[in-house]
Structure formats: C-alpha cells, structure tokens
Amino acid sequence: MRRSIIFCFFAAFGGWVFGYDIGYISGCLIMPDFVAHMQPGASALSSQNQSIITSLLSAGTFFGALLQSFTSDTIGRKGSILFWSAIFTIGVIIQVSSFGLGQLTAGRFVAGLGVGALSAIVPLYIGEAAPKKLRGTLLVLYQVQIASGLFLAYLVDLGTHHIKNSASWRIPIGLQLIWGGFLMGGAVLLPESPRLLLGKGKETQALKAIASLNDCEVDDPLTREVLVELEQAIKEENEGGKAGWMEAFSMRSAMWKRTLNGCMIQFLQQLNGQNFYYYYGPVFFENARLSLNSYEIQTVLGGVSLAMVLPAMWTIEHVGRRKSLLIGSLAQAICAIIAGLVGHFYTDVAGLTEKQTKLGGQVLVAFAVIHVSFYSLFWGPTPWVLLGETFPLRVRPKCIALAAATNWLWNFLLSYFSPLIADDIGPLILLVFCGCLVFAFVYVFFMIPETRGISLEEVDELYRTKVPAWRSSSWTPSTRHLTEVGDGRIHSDATFIGGQETGPGGAEKKGTDQQLEHLENTGDVDNGAVAGTKTGPLHLVG
C-alpha cells in the first residue's frame, strides 16, 4: 500500500495548483502595482474588473473538466495528467509576462483549462488506484493539497505585497511554474490505471501497473488475482457496448440519480460561502478597519484551512460521508448568519462609532475563521471523495466530468457576481449562503447515501437496491451477507465483482442476489456448500 499512497499523493498535487491559483489572486487585487497595470490611472480595481480577473480562471476550469473526459480514455489517466499540467504551465507563462488586463485574463483562462481537467482526473485516478480501506483518506489528499497551496499563496502575498514594482505580483504568479513542473515530473512516474490498460488489451503493462500499486512483483500471486478480478469487471462492463453521454442520465438504470447527486454536491460545495472569503477576503476585510491588515487575515484563514483539513483524513472514514456533510451544513449556516448580521449592523451602516466598528469587524473575522474551519473539515474534502466513488466504472469518466464541470460553472458564477452583489448589500451576502447551507442539509439527508467502507462495486449495488439515504448506514452488501448466514463457517477468499464471483483460479460463478437469498433461506451454506468456495478471509475489490 505504501506505493499506492505515494502515487496518489503525486496525483493529488493537482489540488495544490488549484489552491495556490485561487489564493494568490485575492492578494494581487489590492497591490498598487497590479492595479496600475490592470486599470491604469485608478487607485483600486473596479468591481467589474475584479470579477473578470477572478472568474476567467473558473471559466477555463469548466471547459477543462469536460474536455478531460476525452483525453482520460484516449491518452490515459497518466497521459492526461501530464498533458493538462503542460496546459496549466503555458497559462502561467502568459500570466507572468502580462502587461495588461487582456493578457492576464487570457492566461488565467488557459491555466483554468488545466486546473479544471486535473480536478476531474485526480479523483478518477485515485478512485481506481487506491486500496478500498484507504480510498476515502487518499481522496481527501486532494483537498489537503488545495488547502496547502492556498496557505502558501497567502504567505507569498504577505511577503511580496510591500515590493514597490511588478515583482510584488509577478513572483506569486511565477512560482506556479515550479508547481506545474513538479506535477509533470510526478506524472511521468505514475503507473497507468490497470483498468484502462486491460480495457485496451495491454495485459503485460497492466500486470506491471498492478504490481507497482500493490507493492509486489509481477509474478506475485496477488498480481494475478487482481488481474483476474479486473478482467471480469471489464468484461461485464463492455457487454453493453460503449457508454455514451446519455447513459449518465439513464432512467432505466437509475443512473440519473447518481449523476444528480454528484452534480448537486459539487454545486452545494460552491454555495457554502467559503470561496467568497478566499477570492475577496482582502477587499472585504479592508472595510472592517481592524488592527490586522487584510493580508494577515487571509494568512490566518489559509492556515486554519490547512490545519482543519488534516483531521478530515481521519473523520472521512470514522465519521462518514453523510454525517460530515450534515454536521458541516448546520455549523456553517450558523456562522454565516451571525457573520452576515453582525457584519452588516456593526461595519456596514452609517453612524457607527469606532468601537462598534472594531467589535463588529472582530466578530466578523472570528466567524469567518470558524466558517472556513468547518468547511475545511467537512464540506471541502467530502464532495471530492464522493466524486471518486459514486459512479460505476462504465460511465465514471463522463459522470465525474459532469460533476466537476458543475463545480467550476458555479465557481465561475460566484466569482463573477459575488463582488457585484457584495458591493450592493455588503456582508448580507452571507445570508444567501446561509439559506443555501440549510438547503444542503435537507438535500444530503434525503438523497446522499453513506458509502464509507464499501467497495466501488458495492456502491453500485447500494444504489441499485434503492435503499433510502437515511437508512444507508446500516445497509449490508449481499457479498458480505453471505459470510454472516448459517453457522458462520463459510468465508470465501474469492473476490466479488458486481454480482460475479471470481475464485483464486479465475473460475467464474454466478453470485446473483436470488441465489444468495435461496442459500440464506435453506441454510445450505456450510463448508463447501457453495461450489468453488473455500474457507479463508473475504476480499472485496476497492
């Protein structure tokens, strides 16, 4: 598993470039030299130009998330990470050499293509490469990297904003060249997805990839067992022919519900309100007239984000996906309503004393920090975890592309319209996010099932059984139920894949729900009662 962790860490570095990119731009918006280049003659950027500069990255990410669905199958997961990392690097070069608004926004759009594509490929790759027991934790790595990049960006802005020339903003932008180079170098070392290689008939390369991901040799029995399991899964997947885009919305297979859940969770993640602080924190807090300057406040927010996302690597598997989202929704809603009302009545109305304004600003910042803390612990990582484990292998690249594109579409809309709305209603914009968080709680309670501790194939079974989301935590997969019936003496060492059982020798045996139900009713599950089984631990594909 050690190699799997290392490889997933390299892949998750795609989150670093995203976090850094949204972090550095917020500080640049109020740097005097940056303003002079982007809006000559002005002392501060207009709300319109702030919107354009911040939102163009998100516009690019929307298209990148969709376009990666074509490259991830044609040139592979590994090749896609390499290709889109190069696109991101080109976008950075355009930005760092900018001398005007047009060139900067063009560079942000190109960089956004790479960031958006990586945001979809990373959960896809980790979901396929990570061991089941560590899948949630390793998918959280993506959000850890986002928080790490964000925090570093704030530190860099804090250190360079005093510079009197263009180095104040060219240095924060230029450092992204290092991140792009690191990501491309790491991509070269990644093994390709064994599933993709087998789907293309490259069995020898698939064996090498399996061995790399499982810390074993090519001739190890474990390598052969995993190969047999994947071959069977791919065989079943290909029986229906090539999956089209409309299959993601199929009513017959109820795939529409999974696609809806994936898109809604990504949509609601954006409406948590945290990106308002990330993108516009310096401009927003500048009006609070606090003793800390806006760069220092942003750095505090970035540090809190990083500190709070680390425990999520534990909570995601011990608290679960559903509870994480439910707790986070309520906690952030409370923070948003308090920060919004206090910010309005104590910092944004006429006739306030300096003491009132200072108190209001302190309360506003305090609840902003608490808000970001709960986001980082719960709503930051969990949607990306669900994105990597909700969809069946057959349509996974397309469904992940749709969900990730939804995230970036709303990121674009919010980054464009938030400063315009805040310019009119100030801190009361946080009440809008409060309402969205209340809706998020209701949606998660009724629609999002718990997927902790089950394999990707079992997630497919969970949705097919139509168990109500609020009862999903106690649901048991049929493959596990087989080990619990009778006198408990039968435990198969075979791996179950979507209703098919593949034994150690590769023999295929039907394992439908009807047969399992018959075995349970007759009690005929003693030693050897199920042909081809053998006592030993039960292994499930992750």
Side-chain angles (χ1 to χ4, degrees), residues 143-477:
Q143 185 65 29
V144 171
Q145 297 279 29
I146 291 176
S148 300
L150 190 72
F151 182 49
L152 180 63
Y154 292 155
L155 288 175
V156 173
D157 280 351
L158 180 64
T160 65
H161 78 279
H162 295 294
I163 300 175
K164 302 300 182 182
N165 54 47
S166 64
S168 60
W169 54 274
R170 293 190 195 276
I171 291 175
I173 295 176
L175 284 175
Q176 293 178 103
L177 295 173
I178 299 175
W179 319 146
F182 182 83
L183 193 53
M184 286 188 286
V188 172
L189 301 176
L190 292 176
E192 184 54 89
S193 166
R195 159 169 290 281
L196 185 70
L197 293 170
L198 284 174
K200 294 184 176 182
K202 300 178 180 180
E203 183 174 313
T204 302
Q205 295 180 36
L207 279 169
K208 293 179 180 178
I210 292 169
S212 294
L213 290 168
N214 287 275
D215 283 333
C216 59
E217 301 299 326
V218 173
D219 56 357
D220 192 289
L222 175 61
T223 306
R224 177 57 59 177
E225 287 180 19
V226 174
L227 179 69
V228 170
E229 295 161 5
L230 291 177
E231 284 178 333
Q232 177 59 26
I234 292 170
K235 178 183 176 182
E236 293 176 2
E237 182 181 340
N238 291 337
E239 285 177 353
K242 187 177 180 180
W245 282 95
M246 292 308 299
E247 188 169 331
F249 306 98
S250 170
M251 299 291 289
R252 183 173 57 84
S253 65
M255 190 58 60
W256 67 270
K257 182 177 181 181
R258 283 191 252 189
T259 303
L260 175 65
N261 279 351
C263 292
M264 282 297 293
I265 288 299
Q266 294 293 319
F267 158 66
L268 291 170
Q269 186 198 49
Q270 286 301 312
L271 291 175
N272 270 216
Q274 80 295 333
N275 276 354
F276 179 72
Y277 296 123
Y278 291 156
Y279 280 125
Y280 302 107
V283 178
F284 189 62
F285 292 127
E286 204 169 38
N287 298 327
R289 297 189 289 277
L290 299 172
S291 55
L292 291 175
N293 66 44
S294 53
Y295 290 99
E296 292 168 338
I297 295 171
Q298 281 287 86
T299 303
V300 170
L301 287 176
V304 168
S305 296
L306 178 57
M308 293 304 293
V309 76
L310 295 175
M313 301 180 74
W314 182 88
T315 59
I316 197 68
E317 296 296 353
H318 293 81
V319 176
R321 282 61 159 161
R322 269 177 61 82
K323 286 184 179 179
S324 291
L325 295 176
L326 292 172
I327 294 170
S329 298
L330 286 181
Q332 289 178 86
I334 294 171
C335 291
I337 194 169
I338 294 175
L341 292 176
V342 172
H344 174 71
F345 290 109
Y346 281 83
T347 69
D348 201 44
V349 295
L352 294 172
T353 65
E354 184 178 346
K355 183 178 180 181
Q356 288 175 318
T357 303
K358 184 175 182 180
L359 175 62
Q362 290 172 341
V363 172
L364 176 61
V365 171
F367 278 93
V369 169
I370 298 172
H371 188 142
V372 169
S373 298
F374 280 111
Y375 170 81
S376 298
L377 183 58
F378 297 123
W379 269 89
T382 306
W384 295 111
V385 173
L386 290 171
L387 196 63
E389 62 187 17
T390 293
F391 307 108
L393 298 168
R394 175 177 167 79
V395 292
R396 188 176 296 158
K398 293 179 174 63
C399 289
I400 288 180
L402 290 170
T406 300
N407 182 296
W408 294 116
L409 172 63
W410 282 94
N411 189 297
F412 165 73
L413 293 174
L414 287 170
S415 61
Y416 185 83
F417 289 107
S418 287
L420 302 177
I421 297 173
D423 201 39
D424 289 332
I425 63 175
L428 288 179
I429 191 175
L430 293 171
L431 300 187
V432 177
F433 297 125
C434 176
C436 294
L437 285 161
V438 172
F439 172 75
F441 179 91
V442 175
Y443 186 87
V444 170
F445 183 84
F446 286 105
M447 294 293 289
I448 304 299
E450 181 57 69
T451 54
R452 172 181 57 169
I454 60 178
S455 70
L456 298 182
E457 287 71 31
E458 290 168 345
V459 171
D460 187 56
E461 181 187 352
L462 170 63
Y463 271 95
R464 285 189 287 106
T465 55
K466 299 181 180 179
V467 176
W470 58 91
R471 295 180 182 174
S472 58
S473 297
S474 59
W475 176 80
T476 304

Side-chain angles (χ1 to χ4, degrees), residues 2-195:
R2 180 172 51 84
R3 289 186 186 177
S4 295
I5 295 173
I6 293 173
F7 290 139
C8 290
F9 175 83
F10 272 114
F13 198 77
W16 179 288
V17 299
F18 163 46
Y20 186 89
D21 208 295
I22 67 172
Y24 88 82
I25 196 63
S26 61
C28 291
L29 294 177
I30 57 174
M31 291 180 181
D33 192 85
F34 184 83
V35 173
H37 277 81
M38 302 305 149
Q39 192 173 330
S43 59
L45 290 174
S46 66
S47 296
Q48 183 72 29
N49 281 342
Q50 288 180 39
S51 297
I52 292 172
I53 291 170
T54 54
S55 63
L56 258 292
L57 175 83
S58 302
T61 56
F62 171 77
F63 292 104
L66 292 175
L67 291 172
Q68 68 76 34
S69 65
F70 300 100
T71 62
S72 62
D73 283 335
T74 53
I75 63 176
R77 316 310 194 224
K78 173 180 178 176
S80 288
I81 293 174
L82 186 60
F83 173 77
W84 291 109
S85 298
I87 295 296
F88 167 78
T89 304
I90 292 172
V92 173
I93 293 173
I94 296 173
Q95 290 179 73
V96 79
S97 60
S98 295
F99 285 93
L101 183 63
Q103 185 178 347
L104 181 83
T105 52
R108 284 183 63 76
F109 179 82
V110 174
L113 291 173
V115 172
L118 291 168
S119 74
I121 297 170
V122 168
L124 174 63
Y125 181 85
I126 295 177
E128 293 182 351
K132 178 185 65 177
K133 291 182 178 179
L134 295 176
R135 188 179 66 233
T137 299
L138 292 178
L139 283 167
V140 170
L141 267 178
Y142 182 68
Q143 185 65 29
V144 171
Q145 297 279 29
I146 291 176
S148 300
L150 190 72
F151 182 49
L152 180 63
Y154 292 155
L155 288 175
V156 173
D157 280 351
L158 180 64
T160 65
H161 78 279
H162 295 294
I163 300 175
K164 302 300 182 182
N165 54 47
S166 64
S168 60
W169 54 274
R170 293 190 195 276
I171 291 175
I173 295 176
L175 284 175
Q176 293 178 103
L177 295 173
I178 299 175
W179 319 146
F182 182 83
L183 193 53
M184 286 188 286
V188 172
L189 301 176
L190 292 176
E192 184 54 89
S193 166
R195 159 169 290 281

